[in-house]
C-alpha cells in the first residue's frame, strides 16, 4: 500500500499552511525577544534607581525600609546594577553593596 497524492493543489495548500504557521511562530518569538529586551532595560533602570536609593538612605537596610522593599530585592537590584556596570565599564559606588545597614 502506498499513499497517493491525488491532488497537487492540496499538497501546495499544506505547504502554504506550514509556511504560514512558521511565519506566525517566528513573529511570536520576535515579539517575545523584543519584550524581554524592554523588561531587561526597565530592570536595569530600577536597579540604578535602587543603587542611588541605597546611597541616599545610607545603606541596604535603610533603603529597604525607605522603599518598602525586601532586603533581598534591594540586594538583587544592586547585583543587577553591578553586573550592568561591569558590562558597560561604568563605576557603581559600593556603599550599599557591602553595607549591612548597621551604623
Amino acid at each position: 500500500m502506498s499513499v497517493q497524492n491525488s491532488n497537487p493543489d492540496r499538497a501546495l495548500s499544506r505547504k502554504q499552511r506550514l509556511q504560514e504557521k512558521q511565519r506566525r511562530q517566528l513573529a511570536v518569538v520576535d515579539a517575545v525577544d523584543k519584550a524581554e529586551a524592554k523588561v531587561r532595560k526597565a530592570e536595569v533602570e530600577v536597579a540604578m534607581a535602587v543603587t542611588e536609593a541605597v546611597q541616599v538612605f545610607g545603606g541596604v537596610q535603610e533603603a529597604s525600609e525607605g522603599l518598602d522593599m525586601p532586603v533581598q530585592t534591594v540586594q538583587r537590584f544592586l547585583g543587577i546594577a553591578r553586573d550592568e556596570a561591569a558590562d558597560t565599564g561604568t563605576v557603581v559606588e559600593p556603599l550599599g553593596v557591602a553595607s549591612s545597614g548597621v551604623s
Side-chain angles (χ1 to χ4, degrees), residues 30-46:
D30 186 47
V32 169
D33 287 347
K34 287 179 182 176
E36 284 178 333
K38 287 179 183 179
V39 167
R40 176 68 184 151
K41 182 179 178 186
E43 196 171 49
V44 168
E45 288 178 14
V46 172

Side-chain angles (χ1 to χ4, degrees), residues 26-69:
L26 289 172
V28 168
V29 168
D30 186 47
V32 169
D33 287 347
K34 287 179 182 176
E36 284 178 333
K38 287 179 183 179
V39 167
R40 176 68 184 151
K41 182 179 178 186
E43 196 171 49
V44 168
E45 288 178 14
V46 172
M48 295 307 190
V50 168
T51 299
E52 184 176 353
V54 169
Q55 293 170 354
V56 169
F57 283 102
V60 172
Q61 183 64 41
E62 293 83 357
S64 169
E65 292 168 5
L67 298 172
D68 195 26
M69 183 182 287

